Amino acid sequence: MQAWEITESFGLDHLRLVDRPDPEPGPRQVRLAIRARSLNFRDLLMVRGKYNPRQPLPLVPLSDGVGEVTAIGEGVERVKVGDRVSPIFAQRWIAGTPSRTELRSTLGGPLDGTLREAMVCDEEAVVHVPAHMTDVEAATLPCAALTAWSALVTQGALAAGQTVLVQGTGGVSVFALQIAKLLGARVIATSSSDEKLERVRALGADETLNYRTTPEWGKAAKALTGGEGVDHVVEVGGAGTLDQSIRAVRPGGAISLIGVLAGGAAPVNLTPVLMQNIRIQGVLVGHRQAHEALNRALGQHALRPVVDRVFPFAEASAAFEHLASQEHIGKVCIGN
């Protein structure tokens, strides 16, 4: 089989297409023919050596994918040959609070990921995909959709009538918009592009803010709620935008800290967090049980992910470059 590897050192120029032996499943394992994959910002950081500079190489990148079960090992009961499944992000995290071992079982680093033609997983480490989705659509779910679900539902207990603020138009933010609307919430979306804001309005955003023309967007978002503040912020910017998120959220509200697009370190005034009982919660994707709940909800409502562009398997480097350009809305994917 063929696989893309980060070879002797980090960087897109060290991403190589190589031949590897075809994998065979052992007891309680399944072999997947990978049909589609999607990219996350974490994958770009991993290839560049910014996510974990001590990551051993070579490494097959990407954590998201959909595959057909082509072989099963002895004792497998959860799936059968021919099933469409996704490997879960943290291969050992099935439910509950994660252990350090479970958090170290993530695909695309430290474990080899989905940017290959076939892979073997434990039968406990896969989930069936929603039947109404294509392989490409379903390949967008394991990280971005589950992260949004974990932030708003598993940890956030989002209720109908509440207000959610989402930042930008990347995968997590677009899924957060879709899930929030599915649950009956009001959504305020931010972007630096008026064109992208038009797109998110078409996806259901109730209010939009251009953070370039409105740099104090936290104050503006609060004003859009009658001065009360939003109930939940999906924070993908990190330290560079956290101060504005704190300004936007209501007393007792929640900020889900998911990404670091605007930096991982910056001065932040923590006094409002204490004085207004604001909860800041780190979110690292989620466990298999939450993934299964997400898939049931999306299947029930026939929700379709937003796919920006699909690249052929042979053009994986171009897919990373497109993701790095930040011109996309929704998910960048790689087919076969």
Side-chain angles (χ1 to χ4, degrees), residues 317-331:
S317 294
F320 278 101
E321 290 169 355
H322 183 59
L323 182 72
S325 75
Q326 297 188 34
E327 296 177 355
H328 61 288
I329 296 177
K331 296 294 291 180

Side-chain angles (χ1 to χ4, degrees), residues 249-315:
V249 75
R250 66 166 172 81
I255 298 172
S256 288
L257 187 58
I258 289 165
V260 291
L261 292 174
V268 176
N269 181 11
L270 295 178
T271 302
V273 177
L274 300 174
M275 299 300 292
Q276 298 182 45
N277 200 37
I278 295 169
R279 178 167 57 88
I280 299 178
Q281 172 73 57
V283 180
L284 182 67
V285 189
H287 48 64
R288 192 192 80 193
Q289 191 176 80
H291 196 158
E292 291 169 330
L294 162 73
N295 286 357
R296 289 193 298 270
L298 300 187
Q300 177 68 27
H301 292 273
L303 187 147
R304 307 203 84 97
V306 177
V307 175
D308 180 87
R309 187 172 171 186
V310 183
F311 289 81
F313 183 75
E315 297 177 17

Side-chain angles (χ1 to χ4, degrees), residues 30-324:
V30 300
R31 183 178 68 203
L32 309 180
I34 305 299
R35 306 301 191 199
R37 310 136 191 96
S38 73
L39 278 68
N40 298 285
F41 190 65
R42 173 186 184 269
D43 301 315
L44 180 62
L45 293 178
M46 187 68 74
V47 171
R48 288 174 168 174
K50 303 296 186 182
Y51 192 87
N52 179 12
R54 295 186 295 275
Q55 166 69 43
L57 299 178
L59 173 73
V60 176
L62 302 193
S63 56
D64 290 10
V66 164
E68 178 186 344
V69 178
T70 55
I72 59 175
E74 182 181 356
V76 169
E77 298 178 346
R78 292 190 67 246
V79 300
K80 65 183 184 301
V81 172
D83 285 358
R84 288 197 312 150
V85 300
S86 283
I88 61 176
F89 172 66
Q91 292 276 283
R92 296 183 182 178
W93 188 14
I94 305 303
T97 302
S99 66
R100 289 187 180 275
T101 299
E102 289 166 340
L103 289 179
R104 290 171 179 159
S105 67
T106 52
L107 295 177
L111 306 183
D112 279 337
T114 60
L115 197 50
R116 45 182 161 166
E117 293 180 318
M119 65 186 293
V120 165
C121 299
D122 189 281
E123 68 164 329
E124 297 292 337
V126 298
V127 296
H128 289 90
V129 303
H132 73 283
M133 291 187 186
T134 66
D135 290 341
V136 167
E137 289 173 333
T140 68
L141 304 180
C143 279
L146 181 54
T147 298
W149 180 267
S150 295
L152 296 177
V153 181
T154 309
Q155 298 176 14
L158 182 66
Q162 292 187 329
T163 301
V164 176
L165 187 147
V166 301
Q167 299 174 346
T169 57
V172 173
S173 296
V174 171
F175 272 121
L177 162 62
Q178 292 180 294
I179 291 168
K181 296 304 294 182
L182 182 151
L183 295 173
R186 181 184 182 218
V187 176
I188 301 171
T190 71
S191 174
S192 62
S193 164
D194 288 337
E195 181 182 356
K196 287 183 177 181
L197 291 176
E198 288 183 16
R199 289 284 305 277
V200 296
R201 276 190 177 273
L203 291 170
D206 299 279
E207 304 283 354
T208 56
L209 292 168
N210 186 315
Y211 62 78
R212 292 207 186 277
T213 57
T214 309
E216 295 294 319
W217 53 265
K219 181 179 179 180
K222 188 175 183 179
L224 290 173
T225 64
E228 178 64 20
V230 304
D231 298 281
H232 205 128
V233 178
V234 178
E235 171 59 75
V236 300
T241 53
L242 184 56
D243 183 64
Q244 289 298 316
S245 292
I246 292 170
R247 293 173 187 267
V249 75
R250 66 166 172 81
I255 298 172
S256 288
L257 187 58
I258 289 165
V260 291
L261 292 174
V268 176
N269 181 11
L270 295 178
T271 302
V273 177
L274 300 174
M275 299 300 292
Q276 298 182 45
N277 200 37
I278 295 169
R279 178 167 57 88
I280 299 178
Q281 172 73 57
V283 180
L284 182 67
V285 189
H287 48 64
R288 192 192 80 193
Q289 191 176 80
H291 196 158
E292 291 169 330
L294 162 73
N295 286 357
R296 289 193 298 270
L298 300 187
Q300 177 68 27
H301 292 273
L303 187 147
R304 307 203 84 97
V306 177
V307 175
D308 180 87
R309 187 172 171 186
V310 183
F311 289 81
F313 183 75
E315 297 177 17
S317 294
F320 278 101
E321 290 169 355
H322 183 59
L323 182 72

